[in-house]
Amino acid sequence: MSHFTHLECSATCGAGPFAPQERQFLCPGCGMPLLARYDLEAARAWKRESLAGRDANMWRYRELMPLLPGDEPVTLGEGMTPLVHARRLGARLGLSQLLVKDESLNPTNSFKARGLSAALTRARALGATTVSLATAGNAGNAAAAYAAAAGIRCKVFIPRDAKRPFIDESRLYGADVVLVDGLITDAARIATERRIAEGWWDVSTLREPCRVEGKKTMAYEVAEQLGWTLPDWMIYPTGGGTGIVGMWKAFEELEAIGWVAKGQRPRMVTVQAEGCAPMVRALREGTEKAEPWANAHTAADGLRVPRAIGDFLILRAIRESGGTGVTVSDTEMVDAMRTMGADEGISAAPEGGAAYAACRRLVADGHIKAHDRVVLFNTGGALKYLDVLA
Ligand SMILES: *Cc1c(COP(=O)(O)O)cnc(C)c1O
């Protein structure tokens, strides 16, 4: 049984709370993201031991997932990905405890599977017949696959210059793909116009409350895989920011139900590309929100996000954690993909490579110490990005 009780405005404008059955997307009061809330007091009765016999996917945490009574998840087996102790990669940097959370092993080859599994579960439960989203690539593939699994139609709006595999894979799962001139923000504008006209169900990043709930399970898993402790650092390549926002929320929930002791949250590091780093710039400038990035360009499609609606949530999480922001060049990312592959047999997307390159920088700067426990997120696999290796 899930302890899901309501949706709440993330910006505390005072609107809501909204019942789980309501067809809400952004806060009707202020247009900011909504977050799912649970009866955490009641959830204290849920014991860690109950996980022992459960399936190895993210729905093993269903008590704190946004499920309506009697509802079943739309699942392809996402989550419970390996947390690899990368000894050779760590040794290069003088780190004894470098761990890679390998999200490339999810359905559709990236961690976007988690958010879209949760979003399509809600969409199906509330009667959606067509979902739509703007995407830089991987989210569209995951949306298309989970929509197929749910028996729902899917409309994917993607920049025309996106890599071919992202376009072809969405089509493979039966989605209608619309190619848009410009960036993901331009795709979002056109997707919104069409969605309003057609009455489609929006599953875009942070414009739908359940994608964050799927992504937060990465933090539950890391905690479980580390015997209910947390690492010293988490290094996360950031685009729209659902992962950071979700994991920061997950720590709060794990503490509230007594599964993880208070005071051991990791420092969160946001990694962005030199050619698109709105969060890193906002951290340096000390602003509460991030100015949109002009002329965004990078080989890491998932990081080519010039403006994020949840910017204030991302920045708040990084600051509260005592973390920081790092930018890396495309060359560094691609070199890191090769290093991760050759050292550890890990298939890393440029975004995953960026996390390793950022880690190297933080070690060199003296931020990360030799015996710190560091978790890098390899958010996707290399195969959709073969052009960057050519
Ligand atoms: C979407 C994406 C990201 C960025 O994730 P957010 O949680 O939206 O910040 C990073 N890496 C890959 C491979 C992605 O597809």
Side-chain angles (χ1 to χ4, degrees):
M1 190 200 70
S2 165
H3 297 287
F4 183 28
T5 52
H6 63 279
L7 298 169
E8 185 179 271
C9 177
S10 60
T12 63
C13 77
F18 305 98
Q21 293 81 0
E22 278 188 55
R23 290 165 154 249
Q24 296 290 356
F25 294 87
L26 292 172
C27 174
C30 64
M32 288 294 117
L34 292 174
L35 294 174
R37 297 295 178 195
Y38 302 82
D39 183 347
L40 296 174
E41 204 41 53
R44 291 183 70 89
W46 180 33
K47 297 296 167 215
R48 302 188 306 210
E49 295 69 38
S50 70
L51 296 174
R54 295 193 183 183
D55 288 348
N57 68 56
M58 71 173 196
W59 294 98
R60 62 201 276 103
Y61 309 109
R62 59 196 297 147
E63 279 82 345
L64 292 184
M65 292 295 282
L67 279 174
L68 298 171
D71 198 17
E72 282 303 316
V74 176
T75 178
L76 295 167
E78 56 294 324
M80 221 54 206
T81 54
L83 185 63
V84 179
H85 186 178
R87 289 184 178 79
R88 244 176 247 111
L89 205 55
R92 266 179 199 274
L93 306 182
L95 295 179
S96 60
Q97 300 189 79
L98 181 64
L99 305 163
V100 179
K101 182 69 170 157
D102 193 0
E103 291 291 300
S104 72
L105 291 159
N106 278 302
T108 71
N109 224 217
S110 89
F111 69 162
K112 291 293 194 307
R114 297 176 185 265
L116 275 307
S117 169
L120 266 296
T121 296
R122 176 169 186 253
R124 186 178 68 180
L126 299 185
T129 54
T130 303
V131 296
S132 64
L133 80 168
T135 175
N138 278 318
N141 294 164
Y146 286 90
I152 289 176
R153 282 188 296 276
C154 183
K155 311 280 179 182
V156 173
F157 293 80
I158 185 168
R160 188 179 300 279
D161 64 354
K163 297 187 201 321
R164 194 74 219 187
F166 291 120
I167 295 168
D168 290 344
E169 191 176 331
S170 289
R171 291 196 174 127
L172 173 74
Y173 302 127
D176 285 331
V177 178
V178 181
L179 304 178
V180 177
D181 292 313
L183 299 175
I184 186 171
T185 35
D186 301 297
R189 187 171 31 77
I190 291 167
T192 303
E193 285 165 18
R194 292 282 305 280
R195 173 176 57 75
I196 292 169
E198 309 278 348
W200 298 331
W201 187 277
D202 196 2
V203 292
S204 301
T205 298
L206 278 167
R207 290 167 189 275
E208 187 287 338
C210 291
R211 282 187 50 185
V212 166
E213 297 304 292
K215 288 248 186 114
K216 80 177 181 187
T217 59
M218 291 188 290
Y220 289 177
E221 289 174 19
V222 169
E224 184 177 354
Q225 289 167 321
L226 296 178
W228 304 107
T229 64
L230 294 175
D232 300 302
W233 298 87
M234 279 189 174
I235 306 188
Y236 184 87
T238 307
T242 30
I244 294 226
V245 173
M247 290 197 286
W248 197 244
K249 180 173 186 282
F251 299 142
E252 192 181 308
E253 292 168 351
L254 289 172
E255 289 171 3
I257 66 170
W259 285 21
V260 162
K262 289 204 168 96
Q264 48 158 332
R265 291 193 199 185
R267 290 173 197 266
M268 307 295 282
V269 178
T270 181
V271 185
Q272 298 200 295
E274 278 176 2
C276 182
M279 298 306 141
V280 179
R281 182 173 64 189
L283 285 168
R284 285 194 188 131
E285 294 177 353
T287 55
E288 194 194 332
K289 295 182 133 283
E291 286 296 313
W293 192 272
N295 306 318
H297 62 90
T298 166
D301 300 57
L303 306 186
R304 202 163 58 132
V305 182
R307 180 174 62 228
I309 185 169
D311 55 358
F312 63 106
L313 298 171
I314 301 168
L315 295 169
R316 197 187 297 158
I318 306 283
R319 289 184 177 125
E320 282 178 17
S321 78
T324 185
V326 176
T327 58
V328 304
S329 70
D330 282 11
T331 312
E332 287 175 291
M333 291 179 205
V334 175
D335 286 349
M337 289 168 76
R338 292 203 170 88
T339 309
M340 292 168 82
D343 272 7
E344 303 289 345
I346 288 172
S347 171
E351 293 86 342
Y356 176 68
C359 180
R360 186 171 53 208
R361 184 89 50 80
L362 292 169
V363 171
D365 290 353
H367 283 86
I368 297 181
K369 305 282 187 283
H371 299 295
D372 284 354
R373 200 156 55 161
V374 181
V375 173
L376 300 183
F377 288 85
N378 179 38
T379 47
L383 290 181
K384 298 183 201 185
Y385 303 81
L386 291 180
D387 60 327
V388 306
L389 295 175

